[in-house]
Amino acid sequence: MGEAVAEAVLSVVACLLLGCLVLIAYLSWSFDPRLTIAGAGLLSVLLAHGAWRTFRRNPRP
């Protein structure tokens, strides 16, 4: 029973976080679309770099 309640709470928190991200994207788009696209591009580059650092093969034996 406790596991089901915890899963429901985490699902609600995840939905709230997603809603906040959508609200932030909407508000930033209405403020300045170019800045929003630049921010999204910068975030994508940072995430890609982190993934590259995480998943690249280690050249040392």
Side-chain angles (χ1 to χ4, degrees):
M1 184 69 176
E3 185 176 334
V5 171
E7 188 173 335
V9 169
L10 288 176
S11 296
V12 169
V13 169
C15 289
L16 286 173
L17 287 174
L18 181 62
C20 287
L21 287 174
V22 169
L23 179 64
I24 289 169
Y26 171 75
L27 292 175
S28 67
W29 184 266
S30 64
F31 176 70
D32 189 5
R34 288 182 294 186
L35 184 61
T36 304
I37 292 172
L42 180 62
L43 182 62
S44 297
V45 167
L46 289 174
L47 288 173
H49 177 70
W52 177 75
R53 297 272 295 171
T54 301
F55 296 115
R56 71 180 176 145
R57 293 183 189 245
N58 194 352
R60 289 179 250 144

Short mmCIF file of all heavy atoms in Angstrom, two decimals:
data_model
loop_
_atom_site.label_atom_id
_atom_site.label_comp_id
_atom_site.label_asym_id
_atom_site.label_seq_id
_atom_site.Cartn_x
_atom_site.Cartn_y
_atom_site.Cartn_z
N MET A 1 0.83 -1.19 0.00
CA MET A 1 0.00 0.00 0.00
C MET A 1 0.87 1.26 0.00
O MET A 1 0.60 2.20 -0.73
CB MET A 1 -0.91 -0.03 1.23
CG MET A 1 -1.88 1.10 1.29
SD MET A 1 -3.08 0.89 -0.02
CE MET A 1 -4.14 2.24 0.35
N GLY A 2 1.91 1.27 0.82
CA GLY A 2 2.79 2.43 0.89
C GLY A 2 3.52 2.69 -0.41
O GLY A 2 3.77 3.84 -0.77
N GLU A 3 3.85 1.61 -1.11
CA GLU A 3 4.55 1.75 -2.38
C GLU A 3 3.65 2.42 -3.42
O GLU A 3 4.10 3.26 -4.20
CB GLU A 3 5.01 0.38 -2.86
CG GLU A 3 5.86 0.44 -4.12
CD GLU A 3 6.36 -0.94 -4.52
OE1 GLU A 3 6.49 -1.82 -3.65
OE2 GLU A 3 6.64 -1.12 -5.72
N ALA A 4 2.39 2.06 -3.44
CA ALA A 4 1.45 2.65 -4.38
C ALA A 4 1.25 4.14 -4.09
O ALA A 4 1.18 4.96 -5.00
CB ALA A 4 0.12 1.92 -4.33
N VAL A 5 1.19 4.49 -2.82
CA VAL A 5 1.02 5.90 -2.44
C VAL A 5 2.27 6.69 -2.83
O VAL A 5 2.18 7.80 -3.37
CB VAL A 5 0.74 6.02 -0.93
CG1 VAL A 5 0.79 7.47 -0.48
CG2 VAL A 5 -0.60 5.39 -0.59
N ALA A 6 3.44 6.13 -2.58
CA ALA A 6 4.68 6.81 -2.94
C ALA A 6 4.77 7.00 -4.45
O ALA A 6 5.21 8.06 -4.92
CB ALA A 6 5.87 6.02 -2.42
N GLU A 7 4.36 6.00 -5.21
CA GLU A 7 4.39 6.12 -6.67
C GLU A 7 3.42 7.19 -7.14
O GLU A 7 3.73 7.97 -8.05
CB GLU A 7 4.04 4.78 -7.30
CG GLU A 7 4.22 4.78 -8.80
CD GLU A 7 4.04 3.38 -9.40
OE1 GLU A 7 4.24 2.39 -8.68
OE2 GLU A 7 3.71 3.33 -10.58
N ALA A 8 2.25 7.28 -6.52
CA ALA A 8 1.27 8.31 -6.89
C ALA A 8 1.81 9.70 -6.56
O ALA A 8 1.67 10.64 -7.36
CB ALA A 8 -0.04 8.06 -6.16
N VAL A 9 2.45 9.84 -5.41
CA VAL A 9 3.02 11.14 -5.03
C VAL A 9 4.12 11.54 -6.00
O VAL A 9 4.19 12.70 -6.45
CB VAL A 9 3.54 11.10 -3.57
CG1 VAL A 9 4.37 12.32 -3.25
CG2 VAL A 9 2.38 10.98 -2.60
N LEU A 10 4.99 10.61 -6.35
CA LEU A 10 6.06 10.92 -7.29
C LEU A 10 5.51 11.25 -8.68
O LEU A 10 6.05 12.12 -9.37
CB LEU A 10 7.04 9.75 -7.39
CG LEU A 10 7.94 9.56 -6.17
CD1 LEU A 10 8.80 8.32 -6.35
CD2 LEU A 10 8.81 10.78 -5.94
N SER A 11 4.43 10.61 -9.08
CA SER A 11 3.81 10.93 -10.36
C SER A 11 3.24 12.35 -10.36
O SER A 11 3.40 13.09 -11.33
CB SER A 11 2.69 9.94 -10.69
OG SER A 11 3.22 8.66 -10.85
N VAL A 12 2.62 12.74 -9.26
CA VAL A 12 2.07 14.10 -9.16
C VAL A 12 3.20 15.12 -9.17
O VAL A 12 3.12 16.16 -9.85
CB VAL A 12 1.21 14.24 -7.88
CG1 VAL A 12 0.86 15.68 -7.60
CG2 VAL A 12 -0.05 13.40 -8.01
N VAL A 13 4.28 14.85 -8.46
CA VAL A 13 5.43 15.77 -8.44
C VAL A 13 6.03 15.88 -9.84
O VAL A 13 6.37 16.99 -10.28
CB VAL A 13 6.49 15.30 -7.41
CG1 VAL A 13 7.78 16.07 -7.56
CG2 VAL A 13 5.94 15.44 -6.01
N ALA A 14 6.15 14.77 -10.56
CA ALA A 14 6.69 14.80 -11.92
C ALA A 14 5.79 15.64 -12.83
O ALA A 14 6.29 16.43 -13.65
CB ALA A 14 6.84 13.39 -12.46
N CYS A 15 4.48 15.49 -12.70
CA CYS A 15 3.56 16.28 -13.52
C CYS A 15 3.65 17.77 -13.18
O CYS A 15 3.59 18.62 -14.07
CB CYS A 15 2.13 15.77 -13.36
SG CYS A 15 1.84 14.18 -14.13
N LEU A 16 3.79 18.09 -11.91
CA LEU A 16 3.94 19.49 -11.51
C LEU A 16 5.23 20.09 -12.06
O LEU A 16 5.24 21.23 -12.54
CB LEU A 16 3.90 19.61 -10.00
CG LEU A 16 2.53 19.44 -9.34
CD1 LEU A 16 2.67 19.42 -7.82
CD2 LEU A 16 1.60 20.55 -9.77
N LEU A 17 6.31 19.34 -12.00
CA LEU A 17 7.58 19.82 -12.55
C LEU A 17 7.49 20.04 -14.06
O LEU A 17 8.00 21.04 -14.58
CB LEU A 17 8.71 18.86 -12.22
CG LEU A 17 9.18 18.86 -10.78
CD1 LEU A 17 10.19 17.74 -10.57
CD2 LEU A 17 9.77 20.19 -10.40
N LEU A 18 6.84 19.13 -14.76
CA LEU A 18 6.67 19.29 -16.20
C LEU A 18 5.82 20.51 -16.50
O LEU A 18 6.13 21.28 -17.42
CB LEU A 18 6.04 18.03 -16.79
CG LEU A 18 5.83 18.04 -18.30
CD1 LEU A 18 7.18 18.18 -19.02
CD2 LEU A 18 5.12 16.78 -18.74
N GLY A 19 4.77 20.72 -15.72
CA GLY A 19 3.93 21.90 -15.90
C GLY A 19 4.70 23.18 -15.66
O GLY A 19 4.53 24.17 -16.38
N CYS A 20 5.58 23.19 -14.67
CA CYS A 20 6.41 24.37 -14.40
C CYS A 20 7.37 24.63 -15.56
O CYS A 20 7.58 25.79 -15.93
CB CYS A 20 7.18 24.19 -13.09
SG CYS A 20 6.16 24.33 -11.64
N LEU A 21 7.94 23.58 -16.12
CA LEU A 21 8.83 23.76 -17.27
C LEU A 21 8.08 24.33 -18.47
O LEU A 21 8.60 25.21 -19.17
CB LEU A 21 9.49 22.43 -17.65
CG LEU A 21 10.58 21.94 -16.71
CD1 LEU A 21 11.03 20.54 -17.13
CD2 LEU A 21 11.75 22.90 -16.72
N VAL A 22 6.88 23.86 -18.69
CA VAL A 22 6.07 24.39 -19.80
C VAL A 22 5.72 25.86 -19.55
O VAL A 22 5.80 26.69 -20.47
CB VAL A 22 4.79 23.54 -19.99
CG1 VAL A 22 3.81 24.21 -20.92
CG2 VAL A 22 5.17 22.15 -20.49
N LEU A 23 5.37 26.20 -18.32
CA LEU A 23 5.07 27.59 -17.99
C LEU A 23 6.29 28.49 -18.19
O LEU A 23 6.18 29.58 -18.76
CB LEU A 23 4.57 27.69 -16.54
CG LEU A 23 4.23 29.10 -16.06
CD1 LEU A 23 3.07 29.67 -16.85
CD2 LEU A 23 3.92 29.08 -14.58
N ILE A 24 7.46 28.03 -17.76
CA ILE A 24 8.68 28.80 -17.95
C ILE A 24 8.97 28.98 -19.44
O ILE A 24 9.32 30.09 -19.88
CB ILE A 24 9.86 28.12 -17.23
CG1 ILE A 24 9.69 28.25 -15.71
CG2 ILE A 24 11.19 28.71 -17.68
CD1 ILE A 24 10.66 27.40 -14.92
N ALA A 25 8.81 27.94 -20.23
CA ALA A 25 9.04 28.05 -21.67
C ALA A 25 8.05 29.03 -22.30
O ALA A 25 8.43 29.85 -23.14
CB ALA A 25 8.93 26.68 -22.33
N TYR A 26 6.80 28.97 -21.90
CA TYR A 26 5.78 29.88 -22.44
C TYR A 26 6.08 31.34 -22.08
O TYR A 26 6.04 32.22 -22.94
CB TYR A 26 4.40 29.49 -21.91
CG TYR A 26 3.33 30.51 -22.26
CD1 TYR A 26 2.84 30.59 -23.56
CD2 TYR A 26 2.85 31.39 -21.30
CE1 TYR A 26 1.88 31.53 -23.89
CE2 TYR A 26 1.89 32.33 -21.62
CZ TYR A 26 1.41 32.39 -22.92
OH TYR A 26 0.46 33.33 -23.23
N LEU A 27 6.43 31.57 -20.82
CA LEU A 27 6.71 32.94 -20.40
C LEU A 27 7.97 33.48 -21.06
O LEU A 27 8.03 34.65 -21.45
CB LEU A 27 6.82 33.01 -18.87
CG LEU A 27 5.52 32.76 -18.11
CD1 LEU A 27 5.80 32.74 -16.62
CD2 LEU A 27 4.48 33.80 -18.46
N SER A 28 9.00 32.66 -21.18
CA SER A 28 10.22 33.13 -21.81
C SER A 28 10.00 33.36 -23.31
O SER A 28 10.57 34.29 -23.88
CB SER A 28 11.37 32.17 -21.57
OG SER A 28 11.14 30.95 -22.23
N TRP A 29 9.16 32.53 -23.96
CA TRP A 29 8.86 32.73 -25.37
C TRP A 29 8.11 34.04 -25.59
O TRP A 29 8.39 34.77 -26.54
CB TRP A 29 8.05 31.57 -25.92
CG TRP A 29 7.80 31.66 -27.39
CD1 TRP A 29 6.73 32.19 -28.01
CD2 TRP A 29 8.68 31.22 -28.43
NE1 TRP A 29 6.86 32.11 -29.35
CE2 TRP A 29 8.05 31.51 -29.65
CE3 TRP A 29 9.92 30.60 -28.43
CZ2 TRP A 29 8.63 31.21 -30.87
CZ3 TRP A 29 10.50 30.30 -29.65
CH2 TRP A 29 9.86 30.60 -30.84
N SER A 30 7.19 34.37 -24.70
CA SER A 30 6.44 35.61 -24.85
C SER A 30 7.32 36.82 -24.54
O SER A 30 7.08 37.91 -25.05
CB SER A 30 5.21 35.62 -23.94
OG SER A 30 5.59 35.59 -22.59
N PHE A 31 8.38 36.64 -23.75
CA PHE A 31 9.31 37.73 -23.45
C PHE A 31 10.26 37.98 -24.62
O PHE A 31 10.38 39.10 -25.09
CB PHE A 31 10.09 37.42 -22.17
CG PHE A 31 11.12 38.44 -21.81
CD1 PHE A 31 10.75 39.70 -21.37
CD2 PHE A 31 12.46 38.14 -21.94
CE1 PHE A 31 11.69 40.64 -21.06
CE2 PHE A 31 13.42 39.09 -21.63
CZ PHE A 31 13.03 40.34 -21.19
N ASP A 32 10.94 36.93 -25.09
CA ASP A 32 11.88 37.06 -26.20
C ASP A 32 12.12 35.69 -26.83
O ASP A 32 12.86 34.87 -26.27
CB ASP A 32 13.20 37.65 -25.70
CG ASP A 32 14.15 38.02 -26.83
OD1 ASP A 32 13.76 37.90 -28.00
OD2 ASP A 32 15.28 38.43 -26.53
N PRO A 33 11.52 35.44 -28.01
CA PRO A 33 11.67 34.12 -28.65
C PRO A 33 13.12 33.78 -29.00
O PRO A 33 13.54 32.63 -28.87
CB PRO A 33 10.83 34.23 -29.92
CG PRO A 33 9.85 35.31 -29.63
CD PRO A 33 10.55 36.26 -28.73
N ARG A 34 13.91 34.76 -29.42
CA ARG A 34 15.29 34.47 -29.79
C ARG A 34 16.11 34.03 -28.57
O ARG A 34 16.94 33.13 -28.65
CB ARG A 34 15.94 35.70 -30.43
CG ARG A 34 15.42 35.96 -31.83
CD ARG A 34 16.11 37.13 -32.43
NE ARG A 34 15.73 38.32 -31.66
CZ ARG A 34 16.07 39.55 -31.97
NH1 ARG A 34 16.82 39.76 -33.02
NH2 ARG A 34 15.67 40.56 -31.24
N LEU A 35 15.85 34.66 -27.44
CA LEU A 35 16.54 34.28 -26.21
C LEU A 35 16.13 32.88 -25.77
O LEU A 35 16.97 32.10 -25.30
CB LEU A 35 16.25 35.29 -25.11
CG LEU A 35 16.97 35.11 -23.78
CD1 LEU A 35 18.48 35.20 -23.99
CD2 LEU A 35 16.51 36.14 -22.78
N THR A 36 14.87 32.54 -25.97
CA THR A 36 14.39 31.19 -25.62
C THR A 36 15.08 30.14 -26.48
O THR A 36 15.53 29.11 -25.98
CB THR A 36 12.87 31.11 -25.81
OG1 THR A 36 12.25 32.11 -25.03
CG2 THR A 36 12.34 29.74 -25.40
N ILE A 37 15.19 30.40 -27.78
CA ILE A 37 15.84 29.44 -28.67
C ILE A 37 17.32 29.34 -28.34
O ILE A 37 17.90 28.24 -28.33
CB ILE A 37 15.62 29.86 -30.15
CG1 ILE A 37 14.14 29.68 -30.49
CG2 ILE A 37 16.50 29.04 -31.08
CD1 ILE A 37 13.75 30.23 -31.83
N ALA A 38 17.96 30.47 -28.04
CA ALA A 38 19.38 30.44 -27.67
C ALA A 38 19.58 29.66 -26.37
O ALA A 38 20.52 28.88 -26.25
CB ALA A 38 19.90 31.86 -27.52
N GLY A 39 18.71 29.86 -25.40
CA GLY A 39 18.81 29.12 -24.14
C GLY A 39 18.60 27.63 -24.34
O GLY A 39 19.31 26.81 -23.75
N ALA A 40 17.63 27.27 -25.18
CA ALA A 40 17.39 25.85 -25.46
C ALA A 40 18.59 25.23 -26.18
O ALA A 40 18.97 24.09 -25.91
CB ALA A 40 16.13 25.68 -26.29
N GLY A 41 19.19 25.99 -27.09
CA GLY A 41 20.38 25.50 -27.78
C GLY A 41 21.55 25.31 -26.83
O GLY A 41 22.25 24.30 -26.90
N LEU A 42 21.74 26.26 -25.95
CA LEU A 42 22.83 26.15 -24.96
C LEU A 42 22.60 24.96 -24.04
O LEU A 42 23.53 24.20 -23.76
CB LEU A 42 22.94 27.43 -24.15
CG LEU A 42 24.02 27.47 -23.08
CD1 LEU A 42 25.39 27.33 -23.71
CD2 LEU A 42 23.93 28.75 -22.28
N LEU A 43 21.37 24.76 -23.58
CA LEU A 43 21.06 23.62 -22.73
C LEU A 43 21.30 22.31 -23.47
O LEU A 43 21.83 21.35 -22.91
CB LEU A 43 19.61 23.70 -22.24
CG LEU A 43 19.14 22.60 -21.31
CD1 LEU A 43 19.96 22.60 -20.02
CD2 LEU A 43 17.67 22.75 -21.01
N SER A 44 20.94 22.27 -24.76
CA SER A 44 21.17 21.06 -25.56
C SER A 44 22.65 20.75 -25.70
O SER A 44 23.07 19.60 -25.61
CB SER A 44 20.55 21.23 -26.94
OG SER A 44 19.15 21.37 -26.84
N VAL A 45 23.45 21.80 -25.92
CA VAL A 45 24.89 21.60 -26.04
C VAL A 45 25.47 21.09 -24.73
O VAL A 45 26.30 20.16 -24.71
CB VAL A 45 25.59 22.90 -26.49
CG1 VAL A 45 27.09 22.82 -26.32
CG2 VAL A 45 25.23 23.21 -27.94
N LEU A 46 25.04 21.66 -23.61
CA LEU A 46 25.54 21.21 -22.31
C LEU A 46 25.14 19.76 -22.03
O LEU A 46 25.95 18.98 -21.53
CB LEU A 46 25.03 22.13 -21.21
CG LEU A 46 25.63 23.53 -21.18
CD1 LEU A 46 24.93 24.39 -20.13
CD2 LEU A 46 27.11 23.48 -20.90
N LEU A 47 23.91 19.40 -22.36
CA LEU A 47 23.47 18.01 -22.15
C LEU A 47 24.22 17.05 -23.07
O LEU A 47 24.60 15.95 -22.65
CB LEU A 47 21.96 17.90 -22.37
CG LEU A 47 21.09 18.52 -21.29
CD1 LEU A 47 19.63 18.48 -21.72
CD2 LEU A 47 21.28 17.81 -19.97
N ALA A 48 24.45 17.46 -24.32
CA ALA A 48 25.19 16.61 -25.25
C ALA A 48 26.63 16.43 -24.78
O ALA A 48 27.19 15.33 -24.86
CB ALA A 48 25.15 17.20 -26.65
N HIS A 49 27.24 17.49 -24.29
CA HIS A 49 28.61 17.38 -23.80
C HIS A 49 28.67 16.45 -22.57
O HIS A 49 29.58 15.63 -22.47
CB HIS A 49 29.15 18.76 -23.43
CG HIS A 49 30.53 18.72 -22.85
ND1 HIS A 49 31.63 18.40 -23.60
CD2 HIS A 49 30.97 18.93 -21.59
CE1 HIS A 49 32.70 18.44 -22.82
NE2 HIS A 49 32.33 18.74 -21.59
N GLY A 50 27.70 16.58 -21.68
CA GLY A 50 27.67 15.69 -20.52
C GLY A 50 27.47 14.24 -20.92
O GLY A 50 28.12 13.35 -20.36
N ALA A 51 26.62 14.00 -21.91
CA ALA A 51 26.41 12.63 -22.38
C ALA A 51 27.68 12.10 -23.05
O ALA A 51 28.05 10.94 -22.87
CB ALA A 51 25.24 12.57 -23.36
N TRP A 52 28.35 12.95 -23.81
CA TRP A 52 29.59 12.54 -24.46
C TRP A 52 30.65 12.19 -23.42
O TRP A 52 31.34 11.18 -23.54
CB TRP A 52 30.08 13.66 -25.38
CG TRP A 52 31.38 13.35 -26.04
CD1 TRP A 52 31.60 12.49 -27.07
CD2 TRP A 52 32.66 13.89 -25.69
NE1 TRP A 52 32.93 12.47 -27.39
CE2 TRP A 52 33.61 13.32 -26.56
CE3 TRP A 52 33.08 14.80 -24.74
CZ2 TRP A 52 34.95 13.64 -26.50
CZ3 TRP A 52 34.42 15.12 -24.68
CH2 TRP A 52 35.33 14.55 -25.55
N ARG A 53 30.78 13.00 -22.38
CA ARG A 53 31.76 12.73 -21.33
C ARG A 53 31.40 11.46 -20.55
O ARG A 53 32.27 10.73 -20.10
CB ARG A 53 31.85 13.90 -20.36
CG ARG A 53 32.33 15.20 -20.95
CD ARG A 53 33.79 15.35 -20.95
NE ARG A 53 34.26 15.42 -19.56
CZ ARG A 53 35.53 15.38 -19.23
NH1 ARG A 53 36.43 15.28 -20.18
NH2 ARG A 53 35.91 15.46 -17.99
N THR A 54 30.12 11.20 -20.40
CA THR A 54 29.68 10.04 -19.64
C THR A 54 29.86 8.75 -20.41
O THR A 54 30.33 7.74 -19.88
CB THR A 54 28.20 10.19 -19.23
OG1 THR A 54 28.07 11.37 -18.44
CG2 THR A 54 27.72 8.99 -18.44
N PHE A 55 29.52 8.76 -21.70
CA PHE A 55 29.46 7.52 -22.47
C PHE A 55 30.63 7.29 -23.41
O PHE A 55 30.67 6.28 -24.09
CB PHE A 55 28.16 7.47 -23.27
CG PHE A 55 26.94 7.43 -22.40
CD1 PHE A 55 26.04 8.47 -22.41
CD2 PHE A 55 26.73 6.35 -21.57
CE1 PHE A 55 24.92 8.44 -21.60
CE2 PHE A 55 25.61 6.31 -20.74
CZ PHE A 55 24.70 7.36 -20.77
N ARG A 56 31.60 8.21 -23.45
CA ARG A 56 32.74 7.96 -24.34
C ARG A 56 33.61 6.84 -23.77
O ARG A 56 33.64 6.60 -22.57
CB ARG A 56 33.56 9.23 -24.54
CG ARG A 56 34.34 9.63 -23.34
CD ARG A 56 35.12 10.90 -23.61
NE ARG A 56 35.80 11.30 -22.38
CZ ARG A 56 36.97 11.85 -22.35
NH1 ARG A 56 37.60 12.10 -23.47
NH2 ARG A 56 37.52 12.19 -21.22
N ARG A 57 34.33 6.19 -24.66
CA ARG A 57 35.20 5.11 -24.22
C ARG A 57 36.47 5.69 -23.62
O ARG A 57 37.03 6.66 -24.12
CB ARG A 57 35.53 4.21 -25.38
CG ARG A 57 34.33 3.47 -25.88
CD ARG A 57 34.73 2.53 -26.98
NE ARG A 57 33.52 1.99 -27.58
CZ ARG A 57 33.20 0.72 -27.52
NH1 ARG A 57 34.00 -0.14 -26.94
NH2 ARG A 57 32.11 0.30 -28.06
N ASN A 58 36.92 5.06 -22.57
CA ASN A 58 38.15 5.50 -21.91
C ASN A 58 39.33 5.00 -22.73
O ASN A 58 39.52 3.80 -22.88
CB ASN A 58 38.20 4.96 -20.49
CG ASN A 58 39.25 5.64 -19.64
OD1 ASN A 58 40.04 6.40 -20.17
ND2 ASN A 58 39.25 5.33 -18.38
N PRO A 59 40.21 5.90 -23.25
CA PRO A 59 41.32 5.44 -24.10
C PRO A 59 42.42 4.72 -23.32
O PRO A 59 43.21 4.00 -23.90
CB PRO A 59 41.86 6.73 -24.71
CG PRO A 59 41.41 7.81 -23.79
CD PRO A 59 40.15 7.34 -23.15
N ARG A 60 42.47 4.91 -22.02
CA ARG A 60 43.49 4.23 -21.22
C ARG A 60 43.08 2.80 -20.92
O ARG A 60 41.92 2.52 -20.67
CB ARG A 60 43.70 5.00 -19.90
CG ARG A 60 44.40 6.33 -20.12
CD ARG A 60 44.56 7.05 -18.82
NE ARG A 60 43.63 8.20 -18.89
CZ ARG A 60 42.95 8.67 -17.90
NH1 ARG A 60 43.04 8.13 -16.70
NH2 ARG A 60 42.17 9.69 -18.04
N PRO A 61 44.08 1.87 -20.88
CA PRO A 61 43.74 0.46 -20.60
C PRO A 61 43.34 0.21 -19.18
O PRO A 61 43.55 0.84 -18.26
CB PRO A 61 45.02 -0.30 -20.91
CG PRO A 61 46.10 0.71 -21.05
CD PRO A 61 45.46 2.05 -21.20
#
